[in-house]
Amino acid sequence: MHIRRYEEADHSAVLALAPRLTEGVAPWRPPEGVLSAVTGWVVEALHRAGEPHRFVFVAEDGDDITGFVAGEQRAHWSGDQELYVGELVVSPQHEGRGVGRALMDAVTDHARQQGLRTITLDTGAANTNARTFYNRLGFEEEDVKLTKRIS
């Protein structure tokens, strides 16, 4: 496995992984709207990958793209600069093989190179696999979003 920066030739393979971002979303959210939104996030991340303060890294195994991570440097509401991870996806057949960890190691190295002290991200409360994964990497819950459904 090799981690490297995204290249335009990776576009289709990375976009094909976008539906994995629908996992762990609250069950009351409309699936078609969720898929449209996550696909839009990935398209935008790929389109803006070359901009300053943005990044997209891909994991490749031979000729296969096995995962990707995308994000940007931004200001936290407190004023601190941080590296924000918008999307992290590993192909289902490569889950549990260290791909996600290797991608997040690349993000951590990138943050250090930028002189940043924090990495932040969001994930669905119901996405227990992702929450367990991030917890093992040392991420701590900082904010909680609450939703009330009205019938």
Side-chain angles (χ1 to χ4, degrees):
M1 175 182 36
H2 175 67
I3 307 297
R4 62 170 173 77
R5 286 230 178 229
Y6 165 81
E7 299 169 359
E8 188 62 35
D10 304 324
H11 185 87
S12 294
V14 170
L15 198 55
L17 295 172
R20 293 231 56 207
L21 292 168
T22 64
E23 296 174 15
V25 175
W28 59 82
R29 299 297 181 188
E32 63 281 351
V34 171
L35 180 59
S36 177
V38 301
T39 301
W41 299 340
V42 174
V43 167
E44 181 178 2
L46 299 181
H47 178 71
R48 300 181 72 187
E51 293 179 12
H53 303 297
R54 294 203 172 249
F55 66 90
V56 178
F57 297 117
V58 297
E60 64 180 353
D61 186 8
D63 293 333
D64 295 330
I65 299 299
T66 60
F68 75 94
V69 62
E72 64 184 318
Q73 181 177 332
R74 69 181 193 183
H76 181 265
W77 56 262
S78 67
D80 285 343
Q81 288 293 308
E82 63 187 14
L83 203 62
Y84 177 75
V85 174
E87 298 84 29
L88 171 67
V89 177
V90 174
S91 70
Q93 56 270 37
H94 291 89
E95 224 172 50
R97 298 184 184 177
V99 175
R101 179 177 290 276
L103 286 164
M104 290 305 292
D105 286 348
V107 169
T108 301
D109 290 344
H110 183 66
R112 284 187 181 119
Q113 291 168 8
Q114 303 303 310
L116 302 173
R117 299 179 317 152
T118 55
I119 300 169
T120 60
L121 55 86
D122 297 300
T123 193
N127 196 344
T128 55
N129 289 341
R131 293 177 73 191
T132 300
F133 169 75
Y134 291 125
N135 185 268
R136 275 189 262 133
L137 293 181
F139 283 81
E140 300 175 60
E141 291 187 7
E142 181 178 8
D143 297 314
V144 176
K145 178 180 180 175
L146 304 172
T147 301
K148 177 181 178 180
R149 293 188 293 159
I150 301 170
S151 52

